């Protein structure tokens, strides 16, 4: 049995409580599937600052780099206080250029739509997240949107390769190239070229993002893989979460060429922090994505067995209505984890 070190950042707000719940579930699955996982706890965000450390301590960077894989709880970025977001820093430091967010209808979760199955692929390093903001003159500020051919080409290739490997039918790019002719125009041209040159077998369409939003809320089942620049990807991820049950059920992964960081789409939810109310499912689903990634990259089947056990348990719990309050149930964060552990024991 191979031992895998995985860096864990519990994060801020609801981060520590959902992380604890998720690790309990993964540990129970690992024990049953005979997968050997060694959690390496590191800190980042407000909690790191409160411990007298930097926003992202050096040890955190070293451990992510050594483990290559990290599971991350949400981190708070105070608004208007000159803080660089932990997420933006991590994504840039490890060049985690591809954010992947699967948005799927879940069994037992009642929503307006059935059969939603969209994968959002977000360019994670450029756009308005370049963090280049200037005061030109008092009362006039600007923010720079950056797009480079290298990054647009890289994420386009990544998205089509992903779509092809997963036997998806179509990639839709949501953009505003009619207004941002240079930046979004470059991204659109790169996606178009990758499609024509390398993946003509797949469908490709480009939709102006405002119309795309309307189409998404009218009939999300018409979309398959969505390709977006950084800010659009951020906004559309939350919109799509709303189509399948909310932020408690949408996981995410940030991939670079060497490291991968798995985290939920949602933030640190300070409004419900410390009350045992948060749904740990989105982070748990991110952990399942991580286990599947390990099963592929480490070629260790125990990680795959582990992910199947967890998925089987949460699908059954959702169908039985054993959920947290955001999904209409009555379970607390910890009790939801207990239910999954009991269900896995019986599998
Ligand atoms: P948020 O995602 O934390 O919360 C939005 C709403 O969804 C809130 O009403 C919250 O209670 C609810 N919610 C979120 N996650 C939930 C869960 N697991 N279970 C049940 N309800 C849940 O977004 P908000 O309030 O805009 O941001 C709060 C903080 O989180 C900010 O500091 C922001 O910068 C940070 N953030 C961090 C992210 C990360 O670390 N990946 C991502 C997004 C935001």
């Amino acid at each position: 049995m191979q031992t895998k070190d995985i860096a864990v950042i519990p994060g801020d707000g609801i981060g520590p409580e959902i992380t604890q719940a998720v690790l309990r579930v993964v540990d129970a699955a690992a024990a049953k599937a005979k997968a050997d996982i060694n959690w390496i706890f590191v800190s980042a965000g407000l909690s790191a600052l409160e411990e007298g450390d930097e926003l992202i301590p050096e040890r955190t960077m070293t451990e992510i780099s050594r483990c290559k894989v990290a599971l991350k709880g949400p981190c708070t970025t105070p608004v208007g206080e000159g803080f660089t977001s932990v997420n933006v820093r991590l994504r840039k430091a490890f060049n985690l250029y591809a954010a992947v967010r699967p948005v799927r209808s879940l069994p037992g979760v009642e929503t307006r739509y059935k059969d939603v199955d969209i994968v959002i692929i977000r360019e994670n390093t450029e756009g308005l997240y370049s963090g280049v903001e200037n005061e030109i003159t008092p009362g006039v500020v600007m923010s720079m949107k950056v797009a480079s051919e290298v990054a647009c080409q890289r994420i386009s290739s990544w998205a089509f390769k992903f779509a092809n490997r997963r036997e998806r039918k179509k990639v839709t790019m949501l953009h505003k190239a009619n207004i941002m002719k240079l930046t979004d125009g470059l991204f659109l041209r790169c996606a178009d070229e990758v499609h024509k040159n390398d993946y003509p077998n797949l469908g490709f369409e480009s939709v102006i993002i405002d119309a795309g939003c309307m189409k998404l809320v009218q009939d999300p089942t018409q979309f398959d893989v969505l390709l977006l620049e950084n800010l659009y990807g951020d906004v559309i991820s939350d919109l799509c979460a709303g189509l399948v049950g909310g932020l408690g059920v949408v996981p995410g992964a940030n991939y670079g060429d060497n490291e991968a960081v798995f985290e939920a789409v949602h933030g640190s939810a300070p409004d419900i922090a410390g009350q045992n109310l948060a749904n740990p499912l989105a982070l748990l689903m991110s952990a399942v994505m991580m286990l599947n990634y390990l099963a592929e990259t480490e070629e260790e089947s125990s990680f795959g067995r582990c992910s199947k056990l967890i998925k089987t348990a949460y699908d059954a719990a959702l169908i039985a209505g054993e959920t947290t309050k955001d999904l209409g149930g009555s379970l607390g964060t910890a009790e939801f984890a207990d239910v999954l552990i009991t269900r896995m024991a019986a599998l």
Side-chain angles (χ1 to χ4, degrees), residues 11-12 14 18 46 72-79 85-87 91 101 122 234 238 246-249 254 263-273 277-283 324-327 333:
D12 304 314
I14 59 171
I18 58 171
L46 277 189
K72 178 184 162 295
C75 294
T76 301
T77 304
V79 177
S85 142
V86 171
N87 305 314
R91 289 165 195 170
R101 280 115 183 239
R122 162 184 176 190
D234 186 16
D238 279 33
L247 284 165
V249 297
N254 303 289
E263 63 178 339
V265 167
H266 64 71
S268 55
D271 53 335
I272 55 167
L277 284 175
N279 188 351
L281 188 52
L283 186 62
T324 45
K325 288 200 174 125
D326 55 307
L327 296 181
T333 312

Side-chain angles (χ1 to χ4, degrees), residues 156-189:
S156 300
S157 295
W158 204 98
F160 277 101
K161 188 175 173 192
F162 173 93
N164 202 39
R165 211 177 48 222
R166 300 293 167 102
E167 298 183 0
R168 294 273 171 167
K169 302 274 175 291
K170 179 177 73 167
V171 175
T172 303
M173 182 166 178
L174 300 182
H175 64 89
K176 197 78 188 172
N178 51 328
I179 302 298
M180 279 161 273
K181 295 179 199 299
L182 284 183
T183 47
D184 283 16
L186 174 64
F187 198 169
L188 183 54
R189 179 168 58 74

